[in-house]
Amino acid sequence: MRTVAVIRTDLSNEMELSGTLGYGTPLSVQGAASGRVTWLPAPGAKVDRNEQLYRIDDRPVRVFYGSTPMFRRLDTRGLVGRDIKVIADNLRALGYNVGSQPGVGSTVRKAATPVPGPAAPNASAAPEAKTSGAPDGRTDEADAPTPTASTREETKVKEGDGVLTADLMDAVRRWQTATGAAATGVLDVSDIVVTQGAVRVSSVKTQLGADAATGELMTLTATTKSVTVPVDAPDIASVKQGAKVTIKLPDASEVPGEVSVISTVVQTEEGAPEGAAGPAKVTVTVSLARTSAGKVADIDSAAVQVRFTGQTKKGVLAVPVGTLLALSEGGYAVQVENGPLRPVELGMFAKGMVEITGPHVEEGTRVVTAS
């Protein structure tokens, strides 16, 4: 049983840590269809919603924004899922009327057979006003073929789902016409690449004429630069969303930044010896102030130092974080060596230490630690 003494010390949650300035973690784009690569973007190119990312057999593959990638062929009215909501949201953002969508809790019947849908006569390249569609809570069966069985597959719409309605398929046809594609109303997995937003082509991994169905085609990143900083898990409590930081660039100049994302995933440090867990890290993303853009314009990637400002407390009682025990009734305690649990109130966290206060806990008291 390991023990440590409660100490009286000064705590400061100001930290200066190493980080990486760049465009964030690259996203790999894999080929999703057979055919030959006939067009590729240049590294560094920015690609927005609805713009082509690459071409297969001279057919453009376009970017839509969302969090659910295409994973199936969308060819049957009544299909339900988050991938369909991505399509509806993007077409709506592009100005196409997708009709009304069945509401959460609605029951939707899937059509008996796939309905590829011929090109609509006189389809306009511009978005059209369209008001028809199943209202919330009603089963969507508009224009569906006569079922060949007494029952058909039914799905209940959940939060975040979209429904492939007749109106949405019509909107797909109009979008296909506007982009020069065959107006079928059907979308394949290889028609769309879904990203979180506008992307930057970080690197191209293939070449013209290559088989698109094999291997990695390219990597994508965010379009704006940021700094990623691995922070020791015990210190992450002192890092707050929106906190102001100072970034020291390779030329020793400093620019302001702000904590924009604190990961919820704890990872072991890369490069730890085999079989060793290594120190646990949490990735913090720091966004640069707009005034910093000019100073980092010519830097694609660089090692930087990030200073997290904070407060200082002098002469407080403190113990390592590993001494804390969570109580079933709530709160925390420390266990006195060969003695009982002592409830404590927590204060500042800094560099693996935590400020504590509580009855029967004083400087020099030895408590059990797990680290």
Side-chain angles (χ1 to χ4, degrees):
M1 180 176 63
R2 294 186 58 194
T3 63
V4 295
V6 177
I7 62 173
R8 188 171 297 280
T9 186
D10 299 340
L11 291 182
S12 172
N13 57 13
E14 180 174 296
M15 299 183 292
E16 185 165 315
L17 302 173
S18 298
T20 302
L21 170 65
Y23 288 95
T25 304
L27 167 71
S28 174
V29 177
Q30 303 289 328
S34 59
R36 298 294 169 182
V37 177
T38 53
W39 181 85
L40 290 164
K46 179 183 175 183
V47 185
D48 292 306
R49 189 199 319 259
N50 203 36
E51 293 183 342
Q52 65 177 1
L53 185 60
Y54 57 93
R55 296 177 78 97
I56 304 299
D57 292 341
D58 213 30
R59 178 181 57 82
V61 178
R62 297 183 182 275
V63 167
F64 273 10
Y65 298 168
S67 56
T68 303
M70 294 283 286
F71 61 89
R72 57 180 170 172
R73 180 179 170 89
L74 303 182
D75 63 355
T76 307
R77 285 195 291 268
L79 286 175
V80 177
R82 294 177 181 271
D83 53 336
I84 299 168
K85 188 174 188 303
V86 168
I87 302 303
D89 288 347
N90 278 270
L91 292 180
R92 190 180 294 112
L94 292 169
Y96 293 89
N97 191 319
V98 301
S100 59
Q101 286 274 292
V104 174
S106 302
T107 298
V108 175
R109 286 184 181 177
K110 182 180 175 182
T113 57
V115 183
N122 302 319
S124 169
E128 300 176 7
K130 194 171 182 68
T131 57
S132 63
D136 289 356
R138 198 185 77 193
T139 300
D140 178 61
E141 297 184 90
D143 301 322
T146 302
T148 56
S150 59
T151 60
R152 284 180 282 161
E153 181 182 335
E154 295 185 346
T155 306
K156 184 163 288 189
V157 179
K158 303 186 295 295
E159 187 71 38
D161 281 344
V163 179
L164 193 58
T165 62
D167 283 336
L168 180 53
M169 294 184 81
D170 283 345
V172 171
R173 292 189 189 98
R174 296 195 300 277
W175 171 76
Q176 289 170 327
T177 298
T179 56
T184 63
V186 174
L187 288 173
D188 280 307
V189 172
S190 58
D191 291 334
I192 300 293
V193 171
V194 178
T195 65
Q196 294 285 343
V199 291
R200 170 185 172 273
V201 179
S202 176
S203 63
V204 175
K205 302 290 188 178
T206 188
Q207 58 187 0
L208 297 180
D211 184 353
T214 58
E216 186 180 27
L217 301 183
M218 64 187 70
T219 58
L220 307 175
T221 64
T223 58
T224 56
K225 292 173 185 172
S226 60
V227 177
T228 53
V229 186
V231 178
D232 287 342
D235 294 332
I236 199 64
S238 63
V239 179
K240 304 299 182 184
Q241 185 99 10
K244 305 300 181 184
V245 303
T246 301
I247 303 160
K248 184 183 292 185
L249 301 176
D251 63 0
S253 64
E254 295 184 345
V255 295
E258 180 178 301
V259 175
S260 55
V261 179
I262 301 174
S263 175
T264 57
V265 178
V266 179
Q267 299 176 320
T268 56
E269 188 174 34
E270 292 184 11
E274 186 175 352
K281 301 280 186 178
V282 176
T283 299
V284 172
T285 301
V286 173
S287 59
L288 281 72
R290 291 184 179 180
T291 55
S292 307
K295 293 186 177 182
V296 300
D298 297 327
I299 304 174
D300 277 349
S301 180
V304 296
Q305 292 296 117
V306 180
R307 186 166 64 251
F308 295 84
T309 57
Q311 62 179 143
T312 298
K313 286 193 173 182
K314 294 184 176 294
V316 298
L317 294 179
V319 292
V321 173
T323 63
L324 298 179
L325 297 172
L327 299 174
S328 58
E329 63 271 23
Y332 291 89
V334 292
Q335 183 174 6
V336 175
E337 183 180 20
N338 299 320
L341 295 178
R342 300 293 190 192
V344 293
E345 296 291 330
L346 307 186
M348 176 184 288
F349 286 78
K351 299 180 176 61
M353 301 291 287
V354 58
E355 174 192 1
I356 61 169
T357 55
H360 311 298
V361 176
E362 56 189 28
E363 184 179 359
T365 300
R366 298 200 66 82
V367 294
V368 177
T369 179
S371 59

